[in-house]
Amino acid sequence: MTAAHSTAEVSVVGLGRVGLPLALSFADRGLTVTGVDNDPARLDAVGEGRMPFAETGGQDLLDRVHASGRLSLSERVADAARARFIVITLGTPSFSHIEIDMRDIRSALDDLLGVLAPGHCLILRSTVAPGTTDFVAGYLAKHRDFDIGEDVFVAHAPERIAAGRFLEEIDTLPCIIGGVGHRSGEVAAELFAAFAAPIVQTTPVQAELAKIWANILRYTNFALPNLLMMDCERSSANVFEVIDLINRDYPRGGIAQPGLTAGTCLRKDFAFSEERSAAPGMLLAVSRVNESVPLFLLEGVKRRMGPLANRKVAVLGLAFKADTDDERDSLAHKLIRLLERELADVSAHDPHVPTPTVSLEEAIDGADAVIVATDHAEFRYPRTLAATTERASGDCLVVDPWNCWGAAQVFAYSAELAALVAS
Ligand SMILES: NC(=O)c1ccc[n+]([C@@H]2O[C@H](COP(=O)([O-])OP(=O)(O)OC[C@H]3O[C@@H](n4cnc5c(N)ncnc54)[C@H](O)[C@@H]3O)[C@@H](O)[C@H]2O)c1
């Protein structure tokens, strides 16, 4: 798998956490695929048969595809036009101006403009702000005079998988397709028929809204218990007990549990709605709540322990969510930055992420405070709490917004926590 030399059936532009599993899945279904990425390290890894990040079943899939010879690679976006279907899986961050940052997509479009021809179908798989698919279609029509939906096809088919579940969800999650003009939806559906998932046709803007509002729903769902956690601290109440009171045998309950809520998708997708919201500020407030959790935890530690200068604080978990190696936009890093600004001695442990960390034992040895920042499965084991009780300082403060050990205390001293768990 080196340079692309032959015509492919589908090209995938951007071999990231979405694009690479998608490209491999198409190849695994028998399609010839060109994968495009402008990061030479990414191309080297894939070309050498190494998954550059963790995805359940990803390495086995890459091994199969590698052996099949159905994936070729290129660093030139223009090479994507060798295939009839071009799927864009580039990153779409948001500017701090509360506005989608489309620079990667614009750059790819400019690279493709001169090489697109009648018959091509361009599918936006990236998450985009409402109106982006129509913009892309308009851009192609403006610069190349294509009749979109008749001779060139443009559609949005948002990626809705959760990291780590790609290979299961690609065949099960309904595939939403919003095509521009008369035939784009139908043509894009020909490609996604490679998977077993049902296809749901809609308009481009409805596809865009459905994707970002699914993430807004999750982001808001988690902000509510996080805000409740802060309010409980102010009222000397126990958030886990209040949540239990809300949910227990109550047909209209269902509030989620608190935690550090982040990750690239949730952190930025709300901005794509917020940029032209009818209620500006509402989703910003949701974001502010989730972004305040590290500060809330830090303040809670300081209230109980006093100044943190030269105190050892162990942070367990750097990934943005449980059991992933993805650290992008993780609030654990924000927490560490805040702790360092208090002159604390921070030691971090995470068994999954690429950032080098110390062992669990080294992290918690003699620690004055242990903060569970990510609820990795390993941290939920009773032995992790036992190790903390044994190795940390006698009056170590344990901060567990996830309730990993079932003691139902956001802040508790290790001996107290061990007694609660044992009881
Ligand atoms: N990660 C997820 O779980 C997830 C889930 C659903 C949707 N999405 C959306 O999917 C899109 C992609 O997300 P991701 O996490 O895969 O991003 P990513 O950053 O992991 O991948 C983007 C890839 O594109 C490459 N790239 C950047 N500019 C390029 C260019 N001009 N030409 C060629 N390659 C270029 C990068 O090197 C990178 O490998 C985003 O819109 C994201 O919001 C992500």
Side-chain angles (χ1 to χ4, degrees):
M1 293 193 294
T2 49
H5 291 302
S6 60
T7 302
E9 289 163 275
V10 54
S11 295
V12 177
V13 181
L15 297 177
R17 288 185 183 255
V18 162
L20 181 56
L22 184 66
L24 295 174
S25 298
F26 280 131
D28 203 37
R29 300 305 192 281
L31 279 72
T32 50
V33 181
T34 294
V36 179
D37 204 290
N38 66 358
D39 176 359
R42 176 59 46 107
L43 291 181
D44 285 349
V46 179
E48 289 160 14
R50 274 184 289 114
M51 262 315 264
F53 48 81
E55 177 59 50
T56 311
Q59 187 59 55
D60 289 346
L61 175 61
L62 178 54
D63 292 346
R64 279 202 301 280
V65 169
H66 207 274
S68 77
R70 281 194 290 270
L71 174 66
S72 56
L73 300 171
S74 172
E75 59 188 353
R76 293 181 62 243
V77 174
D79 287 345
R82 294 170 182 183
R84 174 183 173 214
F85 293 103
I86 302 170
V87 184
I88 304 283
T89 49
L90 294 165
T92 46
S94 74
F95 288 119
S96 54
H97 304 285
I98 319 296
E99 170 200 358
I100 183 170
D101 176 354
M102 296 207 313
R103 283 175 294 182
D104 285 345
I105 289 188
R106 285 286 297 266
S107 146
L109 283 182
D110 288 335
D111 288 343
L112 287 169
L113 263 184
V115 289
L116 285 179
H120 269 127
C121 179
L122 188 70
I123 299 168
L124 279 178
R125 189 75 168 165
S126 302
T127 306
V128 292
T132 305
T133 312
D134 281 332
F135 159 77
V136 168
Y139 197 76
L140 301 185
K142 174 176 173 177
H143 293 285
R144 289 291 311 276
D145 212 18
F146 290 128
D147 185 353
I148 305 296
E150 294 297 341
D151 51 11
V152 163
F153 309 98
V154 174
H156 182 42
E159 183 56 79
R160 305 197 299 149
I161 56 102
R165 296 204 198 139
F166 192 101
L167 303 187
E168 163 202 337
E169 294 191 343
I170 191 68
D171 280 311
T172 55
L173 289 187
C175 174
I176 297 174
I177 296 183
V180 179
H182 187 48
R183 291 189 51 232
S184 295
E186 155 199 336
V187 174
E190 286 176 34
L191 175 66
F192 285 95
F195 304 118
I199 289 171
V200 187
Q201 294 282 357
T202 184
T203 63
V205 77
Q206 289 190 175
E208 293 161 343
L209 285 166
K211 167 63 197 177
I212 61 176
W213 275 80
N215 277 354
I216 286 169
L217 178 65
R218 281 173 67 70
Y219 202 43
T220 309
N221 263 342
F222 295 131
L224 295 175
N226 285 336
L227 181 59
L228 179 61
M229 172 169 66
M230 297 174 203
D231 285 354
C232 282
E233 170 86 348
R234 285 152 61 110
S235 303
S236 302
N238 182 312
V239 64
F240 299 110
E241 289 180 18
V242 177
I243 286 177
D244 181 55
L245 292 170
I246 295 169
N247 290 342
R248 186 187 294 220
D249 296 335
Y250 187 59
R252 287 168 294 283
I255 190 166
Q257 300 290 323
L260 282 88
T261 308
T264 44
C265 289
L266 295 191
R267 274 194 79 248
K268 53 121 178 143
D269 287 359
F270 80 92
F272 299 175
S273 175
E274 187 71 14
E275 71 174 23
R276 56 191 72 200
S277 171
M282 177 181 154
L283 298 177
L284 271 181
V286 164
S287 166
R288 288 293 304 130
V289 169
N290 288 327
E291 285 292 317
S292 306
V293 170
L295 184 65
F296 163 76
L297 298 178
L298 174 81
E299 294 296 336
V301 170
K302 279 170 60 185
R303 243 191 319 279
R304 289 163 175 84
M305 286 176 48
L308 297 182
N310 306 317
R311 311 289 300 273
K312 179 173 177 181
V313 181
V315 174
L316 303 188
L318 292 183
F320 84 85
K321 71 170 182 180
D323 309 328
T324 175
D325 64 346
D326 194 345
E327 295 172 77
R328 295 178 300 174
D329 282 351
S330 170
L331 287 178
H333 287 290
K334 183 172 188 177
L335 175 67
I336 290 174
R337 289 192 296 272
L338 292 173
L339 286 163
E340 286 176 347
R341 284 165 64 183
E342 298 294 326
L343 303 173
D345 297 331
V346 181
S347 60
H349 167 69
D350 189 310
H352 295 273
V353 301
T355 297
T357 61
V358 299
S359 68
L360 175 68
E361 291 71 22
E362 213 177 315
I364 57 183
D365 261 345
D368 298 298
V370 173
I371 306 178
V372 186
T374 313
D375 57 335
H376 285 318
E378 295 87 341
F379 300 155
R380 291 184 174 273
Y381 298 149
R383 69 168 181 265
T384 306
L385 178 60
T388 302
T389 319
E390 276 165 32
R391 307 182 82 110
S393 81
D395 56 351
C396 173
L397 181 67
V398 179
V399 182
D400 178 19
W402 304 99
N403 195 14
C404 278
W405 298 296
Q409 303 290 327
V410 178
F411 302 97
Y413 292 94
S414 57
E416 184 192 347
L417 206 57
L420 279 168
V421 170
S423 65

